[in-house]
Amino acid sequence: MTKFRKLNRPTGHRMSMLRTMVSQLIKHERIETTVAKAKEIRRLADNMVQLGKEGSLCAARHAAAFVRGDDVIHKLFSEMAYRYKDRAGGYTRMLRTRIRVGDAAPMAYIEFIDRENELRQSKPPTPQPPQRAPLDPWTRSRLTRQFAPPKEEKSSDPEI
């Protein structure tokens, strides 16, 4: 696996916590946690949705090895795969909410996008600018001369 934030926990505890939080995120589609944990959950949850979209037996076994619960795996491979079939990535959104009272940790909601009762609506995709026809180099240089100021002549004779 790639490098994770350590989150001040031993490896076994950290991985167990992240697996449980990803499972709860898939089940409830929105959870509140600290910002550092939300950033780690976002990476893992996006990978799980990619496996759900792939839909193969190998992907199902990889997801079952990480996610806890048969109902979560079923939701991942049926509902989530169908919902995000046309989306290339970015399945989760992190919204910073408050500062926790006890230890002043910054808290955030992490949620799946394009669902009912989401906290903020998704932005519409930005339209692509129309493609311009490429200009040949000679036309381009003539256009440049048209808009460029005229060159000043430099004389080599010093005027005294």
Side-chain angles (χ1 to χ4, degrees):
M1 293 193 121
T2 59
K3 185 160 175 60
F4 290 105
R5 288 176 177 82
K6 296 200 179 192
L7 302 174
N8 203 17
R9 286 168 172 77
T11 306
H13 183 200
R14 180 175 59 245
M15 290 309 294
S16 177
M17 178 190 66
L18 291 175
R19 288 175 60 191
T20 302
M21 292 181 92
V22 169
S23 301
Q24 292 300 311
L25 176 64
I26 293 170
K27 185 176 181 181
H28 299 290
E29 296 192 9
R30 180 194 309 150
I31 59 174
E32 186 180 24
T33 183
T34 62
V35 172
K37 289 178 192 171
K39 288 179 181 178
E40 287 304 313
I41 293 168
R42 178 176 53 193
R43 293 172 54 195
L44 297 169
D46 285 354
N47 287 343
M48 290 299 115
V49 173
Q50 281 295 116
L51 290 175
K53 283 173 57 177
E54 188 177 326
S56 65
L57 179 63
C58 181
R61 287 182 176 161
H62 278 286
F66 189 81
V67 175
R68 299 171 193 252
D70 294 336
D71 55 340
V72 174
I73 294 172
H74 177 69
K75 183 175 183 178
L76 184 64
F77 279 83
S78 58
E79 183 181 334
M80 299 269 186
Y82 179 75
R83 187 189 308 167
Y84 299 119
K85 66 179 180 226
D86 296 329
R87 183 175 282 273
Y91 311 109
T92 55
R93 170 189 304 130
M94 189 182 77
L95 299 169
R96 294 170 188 257
T97 56
R98 62 188 173 98
I99 302 295
R100 191 161 55 193
V101 175
D103 58 353
M107 301 295 286
Y109 279 116
I110 181 164
E111 67 176 0
F112 283 108
I113 60 174
D114 296 337
R115 65 178 191 92
E116 297 83 26
N117 301 326
E118 59 185 344
L119 295 175
R120 190 178 75 195
Q121 296 297 321
S122 299
K123 295 178 184 175
T126 57
Q128 296 295 326
Q131 294 290 331
R132 297 189 312 178
L135 296 174
D136 64 328
W138 307 114
T139 307
R140 186 174 179 185
S141 65
R142 270 186 257 127
L143 285 174
T144 308
R145 263 187 271 129
Q146 178 183 356
F147 295 114
K151 292 184 178 180
E152 296 180 10
E153 294 293 325
K154 293 183 179 180
S155 61
S156 60
D157 298 332
E159 295 180 20
I160 302 177

